[in-house]
């Protein structure tokens, strides 16, 4: 162990122990503060200056096997980033990455966990830089970008480190095995076990949450001994380029090969992920994105263990409300439907509402009234353009606007989408949500994902019908999240039973500052792997245990 | 929990705790005694009587959706079993199996572990019946069949139960999560987690070790909440039919649906595994057998998590011997090459020997002399027909004899195979091993598996060449086991380094009663999943953790 590595173990062991405790107790735990005000006040301005200076330039990243420069990111707030990144010659880069494996493997779980924690710690120092990078690639408002791309992503990374360390530490690394032989002397063997990495890990990043969705796989693979090649979405390179550069610096400082983490920025039309995913050296793949490519990976990258997070139809069963909760629930739902223009893989899409109406105390709100009340709550939330922009952020790509146009012709529009003028970035495309009412019979409308701010009020026969529809549509078409609103414990229990089968984590009667869209590191799972929206969860032992293999030797004692 | 289930928990909790400790300490542990003499002496004769009476009859097994009878097993000792088994109407059986899931899931990990342990305990009571069934389907000699199909398989099953329980118990099932909100009151959510099974699990049995290779997957899937459909090899149905019947009886006694475990016996030409493997209800598959079908499963059964154990080229690096160990090592190797006619997926095939010879103390044994000495050790071991039959057992299928005929024309025959007359079963096909000398350049000969008693002395430039060849051939073509014989610690260290990459568990300088062919439950891994011979190991957390998914609900406290 280098002196630096020993220092890192001493420094980060308490953090690792706290994280290991948190994944067992699943009570609230956060290592990286989520509030901007927890950080030195000068950091934001310094990061903004860095970002402005970075525009139009070459991102400094030295890694082997570079054969040119690529770029092409455009901020959803309306300007070209103009930043270029080294383009990798894969035939040179992959062997260079593999060369670092033996020393990284030999370092052992505790050193690797400490080095990974140091990478996350240095990323935390860079939270504002990463946030500006995330804001101008994902379209998130700055406040959301700070939390999601910064501390929340870092906490998810630390969670993956803790799970990896836990999986690596399930048994001794050496033992004397003594088998009785009756009257003869026992057989005694000395046995040794090594946790061997699988090979090169590929992280295929997404456009909307490049770090939050990228860090679990990145750190799960790295802590278990694998080099990690990060292939960002061509529209969201900068947040991951910052990440890779920080990781390489920490690895080198700790005495390891910096090529254990590398960037594979691509030309937008190169389909590099497809090429990389079939390379025999690539043995682990983490992907967030479309069903189409996720399914392709699962079917074709058979030389690798593939972890996918894809699309689904996140669903809410609306049954009944306490009178004093109705307004709070509608405001809460309005925020869920609006946050980041519902460009979250966890945003709700399908609201299953009895066509006979929704009891609120003694009063029955008709299906139409419920829709009008929900629409009014959204309009209230987004009535002011400045506040609307802070909630909605910007539209991440033109498909969202096309989908909104298409949704205008579907069912009965309960709430129309409108453009919002962003007070700071007039070129940004900002849109409010559209809500359409359809019937449960219109499965062809709502049984697939409308990524973005389109949701459906779906008229069902009654709540039992809603729950059955929830179970069936989520089982068949996938979902990462679900919710139920009911004053009836029997309905809640039935929704839970459906959830155990459909596998979309359930939020019950939420009205407070935690939304169904949000999962908290160290406590909430993100996805389950039980339905088509994902084949894994962030983070459990199944997410880490197959990223390495125990290999053993044995000899007479 | 039924009274019976509570009793089982009380009875088996100490066994589970001991098994949980063993998988962490990896010292010697065995729950089911491996010695025949540990069992009541009358059991063997009673089981023999049962077996004789079972021949030619209908195996009594009541399960839903039966549409006829199939059979066709023939003992490798030279007679037809003539036993028929119910043939399943899969469209009726699969839904019946799924119906048992909710109660089995709700029972929780501890009850399921106790019920699984009770199944294993009742299988232990049936060890002699299972052994006669295994002997007359696999061709193993009775002594080996007793250990491998009986207590050793049961211990492997218990190991899988312990791992499954461990994975299910990694965190609390309920927690209050309280997030500080600065000056405002904290957010408090009550969270609940359920371990949900994946769906129906399919176990595809093999001909040579139907229970030893079948129990890890069977019990790993069952303890994690999944129903298990057992599809035996058409030539080795009886051991698994006994297993399924015992499991169904225990499940029913404990108050669960017996259809949680069912048999899918097939007509030999039905290719039922292929049909079952693509059923959408089947979400887990455990397979032992050919590379061809294993690779097909990995590529095609993408709706399921597939665990495969296939073929490889188990390899021995021969470097040097201490003079007082040479004879013991040759006798030991002779046994490894002969045991069960080398019809084990762990039997050695490739012996890498420097063409310049093997130092034994001050003396250099030439390549030819080493071959002659090894051949003499095999001849000594198998010189007496009765003892030979007890070591070799019977040839399991005609392909072995064809392969021996083919091997006669390969390289230089160092030891020819000969037929042995079995003293008790004169109709049995019994063959001694063939050893051929080839050159390292003859990769086309030795870079694929010759399943059965064919091994190669491969002349290499030197031990460094041997180790590089070992690393490369095993990485490319797979192996479950490997060995090195050397007096030089540097050679041993280099062999270990190669092993960490090639992933075939290494035995070093073994001469005693533990052979490279053998892996001990609770301590040795079987396969690693790092090379093409297997994509998993018996048993680690990666083998169990993805057999279930955590699903959660959360609500305001």
């Amino acid at each position: 162990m280098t002196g630096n590595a020993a220092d890192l173990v001493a420094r980060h062991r308490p953090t690792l122990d706290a994280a290991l405790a948190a994944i067992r107790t699943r009570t609230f735990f956060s290592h990286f503060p989520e509030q901007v005000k927890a950080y030195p006040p000068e950091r934001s301005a310094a990061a903004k200056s860095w970002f402005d200076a970075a525009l139009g330039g070459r991102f400094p990243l030295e890694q082997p096997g570079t054969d040119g420069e690529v770029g092409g990111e455009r901020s959803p707030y309306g300007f070209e980033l103009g930043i270029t990144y080294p383009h990798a010659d894969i035939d040179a880069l992959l062997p260079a990455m593999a060369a670092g494996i033996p020393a990284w493997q030999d370092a052992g779980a505790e050193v690797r966990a400490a080095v990974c924690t140091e990478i996350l710690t240095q990323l935390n120092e860079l939270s504002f830089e990463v946030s500006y990078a995330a804001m101008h690639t994902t379209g998130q408002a700055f406040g959301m970008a700070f939390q999601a791309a910064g501390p929340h992503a870092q906490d998810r990374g630390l969670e993956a480190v803790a799970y990896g360390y836990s999986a690596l530490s399930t048994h001794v690394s050496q033992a004397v095995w003594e088998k009785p032989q009756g009257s003869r002397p026992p057989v005694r063997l000395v046995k040794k076990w090594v946790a061997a990495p699988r090979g090169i890990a590929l992280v295929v990043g997404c456009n909307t949450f490049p770090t939050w969705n990228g860090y679990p796989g990145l750190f799960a693979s790295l802590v278990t001994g694998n080099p990690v090649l990060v292939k960002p979405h061509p529209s969201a390179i900068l947040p991951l380029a910052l990440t890779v550069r920080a990781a390489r610096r920490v690895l080198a400082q700790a005495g390891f090969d910096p090529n254990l983490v590398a960037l594979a920025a691509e030309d937008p039309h190169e389909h590099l992920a497809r090429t990389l995913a079939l390379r025999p050296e690539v043995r682990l793949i983490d992907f967030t994105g479309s069903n189409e490519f996720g399914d392709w990976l699962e079917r074709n990258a058979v030389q690798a263990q593939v972890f996918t997070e894809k699309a689904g139809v996140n669903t809410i069963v609306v049954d009944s409300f306490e009178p004093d909760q109705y307004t709070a629930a509608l405001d809460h739902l309005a925020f869920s439907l609006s946050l980041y223009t519902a460009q979250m893989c966890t945003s709700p899409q399908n609201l299953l509402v009895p066509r006979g109406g929704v009891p609120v105390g003694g009063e029955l709100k008709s299906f139409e009234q419920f829709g009008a009340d929900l629409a009014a709550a959204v309009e209230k939330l987004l009535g002011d353009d400045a506040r609307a922009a802070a909630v909605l952020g910007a539209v991440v790509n033109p498909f969202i606007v096309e989908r909104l146009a298409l949704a205008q012709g579907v069912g009965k529009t309960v709430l129309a989408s409108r453009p919002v003028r962003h007070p700071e970035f007039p070129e940004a495309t900002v849109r409010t949500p559209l809500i359409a009412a359809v019937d449960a019979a219109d499965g062809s409308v709502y049984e697939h994902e409308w990524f973005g701010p389109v949701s459906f009020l779906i008229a069902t026969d009654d709540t039992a019908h809603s729950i059955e529809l929830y179970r069936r549509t989520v089982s068949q078409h996938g979902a990462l999240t679900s919710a139920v609103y009911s004053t009836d414990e029997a309905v809640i229990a039935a929704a839970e039973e459906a959830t155990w089968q459909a596998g979309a984590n359930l939020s019950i009667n939420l009205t407070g500052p935690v939304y169904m869209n949000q999962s908290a590191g160290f406590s909430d799972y993100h996805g389950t792997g039980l339905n088509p929206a994902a084949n894994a969860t962030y983070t459990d032992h199944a997410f880490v245990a197959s990223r390495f293999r125990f290999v053993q030797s044995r000899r007479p004692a």
Side-chain angles (χ1 to χ4, degrees), chain A residues 257-307:
Chain A
D257 190 334
N259 297 326
L260 288 165
V261 177
L263 187 75
E266 68 173 323
D267 183 82
H269 306 296
E270 188 181 353
H271 300 301
L272 181 57
R274 201 169 278 259
T275 305
L276 291 172
L278 300 182
R279 289 286 297 219
E281 303 95 322
V282 170
R283 305 301 306 276
L284 294 162
I285 300 175
D286 288 89
F287 167 75
T288 308
S290 71
N291 287 7
E292 188 190 357
F293 191 58
D295 293 347
W296 182 89
L297 283 173
E298 292 173 16
R299 289 183 176 275
N300 292 281
V302 290
Q303 89 291 355
Q305 178 87 35
V306 177
F307 300 88

Side-chain angles (χ1 to χ4, degrees), chain A residues 221-402:
Chain A
S221 285
L222 192 60
V223 76
T224 52
N226 308 277
V228 182
L229 181 58
V230 178
K231 206 296 291 174
H233 191 283
S235 302
I237 305 171
L238 189 57
L240 289 173
L242 284 163
T243 301
V244 166
R245 191 170 62 184
R248 293 173 61 85
R249 187 177 58 233
V250 172
L251 283 163
Q253 285 166 350
F256 296 102
D257 190 334
N259 297 326
L260 288 165
V261 177
L263 187 75
E266 68 173 323
D267 183 82
H269 306 296
E270 188 181 353
H271 300 301
L272 181 57
R274 201 169 278 259
T275 305
L276 291 172
L278 300 182
R279 289 286 297 219
E281 303 95 322
V282 170
R283 305 301 306 276
L284 294 162
I285 300 175
D286 288 89
F287 167 75
T288 308
S290 71
N291 287 7
E292 188 190 357
F293 191 58
D295 293 347
W296 182 89
L297 283 173
E298 292 173 16
R299 289 183 176 275
N300 292 281
V302 290
Q303 89 291 355
Q305 178 87 35
V306 177
F307 300 88
T308 59
E309 201 245 84
K310 299 172 290 185
V313 287
N314 302 318
T315 299
I316 303 177
V317 172
V318 177
D319 173 64
S320 53
F321 297 87
E322 300 290 353
D324 63 347
Q325 295 293 302
Y326 185 60
T327 304
L330 289 175
D331 290 348
H332 181 96
L333 285 172
F335 190 83
S336 266
L337 292 169
S338 303
L339 180 63
Y340 183 30
T341 321
Q343 296 167 140
M344 303 176 72
C345 50
T346 52
S347 301
Q349 173 181 301
N350 292 345
L351 290 84
L352 301 165
V353 182
R355 73 178 97 254
V358 179
V360 178
E363 189 190 351
L364 189 72
K365 304 278 186 190
S366 70
F367 179 88
E368 291 70 24
Q369 185 63 48
F370 176 79
D373 291 347
L374 180 60
V378 174
E379 287 183 319
K380 184 179 73 175
L381 174 69
L382 305 177
D384 171 69
D385 275 2
R387 192 168 72 164
V391 172
L392 294 166
V395 165
V396 69
N397 66 42
F399 303 118
I400 303 287
V401 179
E402 290 173 21

Side-chain angles (χ1 to χ4, degrees), chain A residues 485-502:
Chain A
Y485 285 88
S486 179
T487 60
D488 183 344
E489 286 299 326
V491 166
I492 291 170
E496 280 189 320
E497 282 301 322
T499 297
W500 309 151
Q501 289 178 34

Side-chain angles (χ1 to χ4, degrees), chain A residues 21-84:
Chain A
I23 62 175
R24 294 191 70 87
T25 62
R26 305 199 86 76
T27 48
F28 174 77
F29 176 76
S30 170
H31 181 67
F32 298 106
E34 70 175 2
Q35 301 293 345
V36 167
K37 66 183 178 201
Y39 296 81
E42 66 278 11
R43 286 231 188 126
S44 185
K48 179 70 169 57
S49 299
W50 163 82
F51 178 76
D52 290 341
L55 294 176
R58 186 182 165 280
F59 185 86
L61 179 72
E62 300 308 323
Q63 57 183 39
T66 293
D67 65 4
E69 296 277 320
V70 289
E73 293 159 293
R74 179 182 167 79
S75 170
Y77 290 95
F79 57 91
E80 303 294 330
L81 268 54
I83 303 174
T84 64

Side-chain angles (χ1 to χ4, degrees), chain A residues 8 14 49 53 71 109 129 134 149 170 177-178 197 201 236 241 246 265 291 335 356 381 390 452 492 508 520 539 556:
Chain A
L8 294 179
S49 299
E129 285 79 359
T170 53
W177 181 87
E178 182 172 312
N291 287 7
F335 190 83
L381 174 69
I492 291 170
I508 303 164
T539 300

Side-chain angles (χ1 to χ4, degrees), chain A residues 155 206 541:
Chain A
D155 270 348
C206 69
H541 280 103

